[in-house]
Amino acid sequence: MTAPIPRDIPDLPAVPGMPALFASPVPATAVVAPYRRPLAAAYRLLVALVAAAAVTVDLFLGSPIRVLTYFTIQSNILLALVMIATARRAWTARRPVSPLVTGAALLYITITGLVYHLILAHASSPFAMTGGTVSGWQAVTNQVLHTAIPIAAVVDWLFLTAPGRLHLRMAATWLLYPMTYLAVSLGRGELILPGTPGRYLYSFLDVERHGYKSVLGNALLLGLAFYALSVLLVALDHARPNPIRHRAKTGFRLQPPVG
């Protein structure tokens, strides 16, 4: 006869020197081999070159210091730099640029296009800046910086960028730059003599004409609109499909059974 098996068997003591195994997520880059995206890199480099060329032309046509103070110029320069960085990452199969940076560039260039077409260039807007006649190269760069580049940035985001990388916590951080730009613009206006042309670069920030109460009210409404736009971009980024699905080789293959 065999001895009965006891119901309660004590656990074996842990072997000294053996580290415990903790469950930790494995990054996708450790399993899926990175892959190059030359078409995306070429597109982004082209957008960056066009934006840089338009900004350069504007710098030659006007006063460089004044041109560089425009939100349009600054947002296009930022987008060009981000596009160059993302193009390099796509070409060399490296990790993408932080979504905090790419999302900020997308938001600012979108603001540039929307504010221009809905407020500054709209004839029925009380802040329309259509008094002067723009022609020649300046008219070309005006459309490139306010229309073509914003559309190109949105196309890159929708069709060449993986979704789900933007997060709501980034929205407040993105607004720091517009708030800083507002403070600098108002401070710049105070340092320039009243009556000087171009004292305030945008009509809705013209304290000399509308007063601080109206200008700060306009800034508050624009700030709320910019935050709503930020939230919308985040929501769309999580709702849109993935345009760059790629079946990368993992290095593991199932072999048929032998025999």
Side-chain angles (χ1 to χ4, degrees):
M1 295 181 60
T2 58
I5 300 177
R7 294 180 178 273
D8 298 327
I9 300 179
D11 295 332
L12 295 176
V15 179
M18 293 292 291
L21 298 179
F22 298 95
S24 60
V26 179
T29 53
V31 178
V32 180
Y35 58 95
R36 297 172 62 248
R37 300 173 57 209
L39 293 180
Y43 176 82
R44 292 167 180 171
L45 183 60
L46 177 62
V47 173
L49 292 177
V50 172
V55 170
T56 302
V57 172
D58 269 4
L59 291 175
F60 277 107
L61 294 178
S63 171
I65 297 179
R66 181 180 177 182
V67 169
L68 289 174
T69 56
Y70 280 98
F71 186 91
T72 296
I73 300 298
Q74 296 177 12
S75 62
N76 274 270
I77 292 176
L78 174 62
L79 181 73
L81 295 176
V82 171
M83 282 291 185
I84 292 175
T86 55
R88 184 172 180 270
R89 299 293 180 92
W91 182 264
T92 57
R94 298 176 59 189
R95 294 182 60 184
V97 178
S98 169
L100 182 64
V101 177
T102 57
L106 174 65
L107 174 65
Y108 302 153
I109 201 66
T110 304
I111 289 174
T112 295
L114 291 178
V115 169
Y116 175 77
H117 288 284
L118 298 179
I119 299 179
L120 301 179
H122 202 282
S124 61
S125 172
F127 304 108
M129 299 176 64
T130 57
T133 302
V134 180
S135 59
W137 281 106
Q138 192 170 6
V140 175
T141 59
N142 199 40
Q143 292 302 319
V144 169
L145 297 175
H146 293 101
T147 306
I149 297 301
I151 292 176
V154 173
V155 168
D156 174 77
W157 170 58
L158 291 177
F159 300 105
L160 297 176
T161 306
R165 303 190 68 229
L166 304 182
H167 300 284
L168 188 59
R169 62 178 179 272
M170 301 176 181
T173 304
W174 292 337
L175 293 184
L176 292 177
Y177 167 62
M179 293 172 58
T180 304
Y181 184 86
L182 170 66
V184 172
S185 297
L186 296 180
R188 172 184 177 274
E190 290 298 322
L191 296 177
I192 299 177
L193 294 176
T196 304
R199 182 184 179 190
Y200 297 98
L201 300 177
Y202 296 100
S203 55
F204 51 82
L205 298 180
D206 194 337
V207 176
E208 186 176 1
R209 180 179 178 183
H210 304 290
Y212 267 105
K213 183 178 180 180
S214 179
V215 167
L216 293 179
N218 295 334
L220 178 60
L221 292 177
L222 286 175
L224 294 175
F226 294 164
Y227 184 78
L229 179 60
S230 304
V231 174
L232 178 61
L233 290 178
V234 173
L236 291 177
D237 190 58
H238 286 266
R240 64 191 179 94
N242 190 353
I244 57 172
R245 294 186 184 276
H246 182 81
R247 295 180 179 178
K249 296 180 180 179
T250 62
F252 299 98
R253 297 183 180 180
L254 296 177
Q255 300 292 341
V258 180

